Amino acid sequence: MLENKEPKKTSLEALGEFGLIDHLTQSFQLRQPSSLQGVGDDAAVLDFGGKKTVVSTDMLVEGVHFDLAYVPLKHLGYKSVMVNLSDIYAMNAVATQITISIAISNRFPLEAIEEFYEGVALACKLYNVDLVGGDTTSSTRGMIISVTALGAADEDALVYRHGAKPNDLLVVSGDLGGAYMGLQVLEREKEVFKVNPNSQPDLEPYAYIVERQLKPEARKDIVALLKNLEVQPTAMIDISDGLSSEILHLCKNSKVGCNVYEDKIPLDPMVISSCEEFQLDSTLVAMSGGEDYELLFTIDQREFPKIKGNPNLTVVGHMTEASEGAFLISRNNSKIPITAQGWNSFDQA
Ligand code: ADP
Ligand code: MG
């Protein structure tokens, strides 16, 4: 049967700011013992006992960080949380709470904001974090989201961007380039849709990379895995801007250089095939695509047996003396300097 009903659209004005906040937050329960007071007072109250607190904030702006033409609001809510949890995990900490602030124009009906919060609620549930506050305001156009994530860790468990030493191994979780290739597919479908609004995109063959773009997962499991394996990274960062710029952050903060081997970079077969289809260099995509939200860390060489053969972890290179610089060693064994934009294949050493 054909459904021809317009989706329900309740205007935000009808609810008012406080009605909206209540409506959006009433179903959130507190799960963490460290959350003493959540939403509903002038401030949240948290107690981390003897642990150190980690805090991270990110802002997402419509038209800059996301395009509602192809990003479902539920996915956006989920991803907004993931982006922030990823930073907490990159400190080797346990994420415990988030606050969410949103600015929305009145072109959004209540149902749209509800969808966004469904994604937030799912993320909170799956990652065991509490929504403990936020702010709600109007914008003249578009949507702006700011998420703050909090977490806790024992002082000696925390891992910073500094701490990597020459000869440490450089390790990455998961695989790279998927989020960027998913974006290429979605952008292409958007153009097709502009020309023919009746077209139904078939994203099924691209499921993995589209999911990497729309519904990334922060690597909570890697923090747990490292703890389990009794591996204490010497430095760590999450890969939000692409492998090369994150490697350079580690190098700069740790005052070391590095050699990264092109043939070691983990790529999903779908990233390789879509790169062929879009005529893009898969190494370049992995190095500078971004938004993969994997963890990049360094370990002492003696720790190698503990991670050897683990399907979640790939050694992509090793650190060197700072004076040696940061290089990608290509498949044909040439040394290419790593730059923040990726790497410059015309600038071979
Ligand atoms: P204030 O006047 O102190 O800014 P608000 O009326 O904005 O307080 O917020 C009331 C409560 O609701 C606070 O606990 C605040 O953290 C929470 N809150 C407000 N907006 C949101 C939101 N979008 N998501 C989650 N919690 C929110
Ligand atoms: Mg407020």
Side-chain angles (χ1 to χ4, degrees), residues 135-181:
D135 198 26
T136 310
T137 187
S138 53
S139 84
T140 44
R141 53 193 302 232
M143 181 173 189
I144 300 168
I145 304 155
S146 172
V147 180
T148 297
L150 294 108
D154 290 325
E155 183 166 12
D156 53 6
L158 285 172
V159 180
Y160 297 86
R161 293 179 180 185
H162 59 81
K165 299 272 177 293
N167 298 320
D168 279 358
L169 300 176
L170 183 64
V171 186
V172 66
S173 67
D175 53 70
L176 299 176
Y180 182 82
M181 290 317 295

Side-chain angles (χ1 to χ4, degrees), residues 171-326:
V171 186
V172 66
S173 67
D175 53 70
L176 299 176
Y180 182 82
M181 290 317 295
L183 183 64
Q184 302 315 301
V185 170
L186 290 165
E187 292 277 1
R188 182 177 69 185
E189 293 310 321
K190 183 182 158 188
E191 294 308 311
V192 172
F193 185 80
K194 271 189 199 159
V195 178
N196 176 11
N198 292 321
S199 68
Q200 280 289 326
D202 180 14
L203 298 177
E204 192 51 41
Y206 304 100
Y208 176 69
I209 55 177
V210 167
E211 185 147 319
R212 292 286 285 172
Q213 170 58 224
L214 292 182
K215 194 171 174 288
E217 303 290 349
R219 298 309 302 260
K220 181 187 187 203
D221 59 326
I222 298 295
V223 174
L225 175 71
L226 292 173
K227 193 173 177 191
N228 242 318
L229 297 174
E230 294 177 15
V231 171
Q232 174 74 9
T234 49
M236 184 151 66
I237 189 167
D238 77 322
I239 306 183
S240 47
D241 297 332
L243 185 60
S244 44
S245 90
E246 314 302 0
I247 286 175
L248 292 180
H249 283 306
L250 284 186
C251 287
K252 182 165 177 259
N253 285 268
S254 296
K255 301 193 176 65
V256 291
C258 75
N259 286 333
V260 179
Y261 296 86
E262 182 181 21
D263 61 348
K264 301 283 189 245
I265 296 173
L267 300 171
D268 185 86
M270 194 183 288
V271 169
I272 296 169
S273 61
S274 60
C275 279
E276 275 167 17
E277 187 183 336
F278 283 81
Q279 297 190 312
L280 292 169
D281 181 313
S282 57
T283 303
L284 185 61
V285 165
M287 291 293 278
S288 40
E291 290 206 281
D292 289 314
Y293 300 107
E294 294 295 340
L295 293 175
L296 176 72
F297 58 91
T298 52
I299 58 169
D300 189 288
Q301 288 204 4
R302 281 168 297 195
E303 305 262 55
F304 178 65
K306 298 183 191 168
I307 66 154
K308 191 178 171 211
N310 192 297
N312 292 294
L313 303 174
T314 310
V315 177
V316 292
H318 60 87
M319 310 320 268
T320 59
E321 297 292 340
S323 57
E324 293 180 41

Side-chain angles (χ1 to χ4, degrees), residues 35-201:
S35 304
L36 302 188
Q37 167 72 50
V39 169
D41 212 309
D42 297 311
V45 182
L46 311 175
D47 181 358
F48 292 107
K51 296 196 183 236
K52 297 294 170 203
T53 312
V54 292
V55 184
S56 180
T57 298
D58 268 298
M59 196 139 115
L60 298 167
V61 178
E62 183 179 354
V64 179
H65 301 100
F66 59 91
D67 183 339
L68 289 174
Y70 53 71
V71 179
L73 278 154
K74 185 172 174 182
H75 287 74
L76 183 62
Y78 193 86
K79 182 168 174 175
S80 305
V81 179
M82 285 310 126
V83 170
N84 280 272
L85 297 189
S86 180
D87 283 316
I88 302 296
Y89 300 138
M91 300 302 292
N92 204 32
V94 174
T96 46
Q97 289 89 11
I98 54 164
T99 66
I100 297 208
S101 299
I102 48 171
I104 29 175
S105 71
N106 53 17
R107 96 174 139 93
F108 293 94
L110 172 65
E111 288 72 15
I113 313 304
E114 279 175 341
E115 251 184 73
F116 177 85
Y117 268 79
E118 271 174 40
V120 171
L122 183 63
C124 285
K125 185 174 158 213
L126 295 179
Y127 284 77
N128 198 26
V129 300
D130 292 339
L131 176 68
V132 294
D135 198 26
T136 310
T137 187
S138 53
S139 84
T140 44
R141 53 193 302 232
M143 181 173 189
I144 300 168
I145 304 155
S146 172
V147 180
T148 297
L150 294 108
D154 290 325
E155 183 166 12
D156 53 6
L158 285 172
V159 180
Y160 297 86
R161 293 179 180 185
H162 59 81
K165 299 272 177 293
N167 298 320
D168 279 358
L169 300 176
L170 183 64
V171 186
V172 66
S173 67
D175 53 70
L176 299 176
Y180 182 82
M181 290 317 295
L183 183 64
Q184 302 315 301
V185 170
L186 290 165
E187 292 277 1
R188 182 177 69 185
E189 293 310 321
K190 183 182 158 188
E191 294 308 311
V192 172
F193 185 80
K194 271 189 199 159
V195 178
N196 176 11
N198 292 321
S199 68
Q200 280 289 326

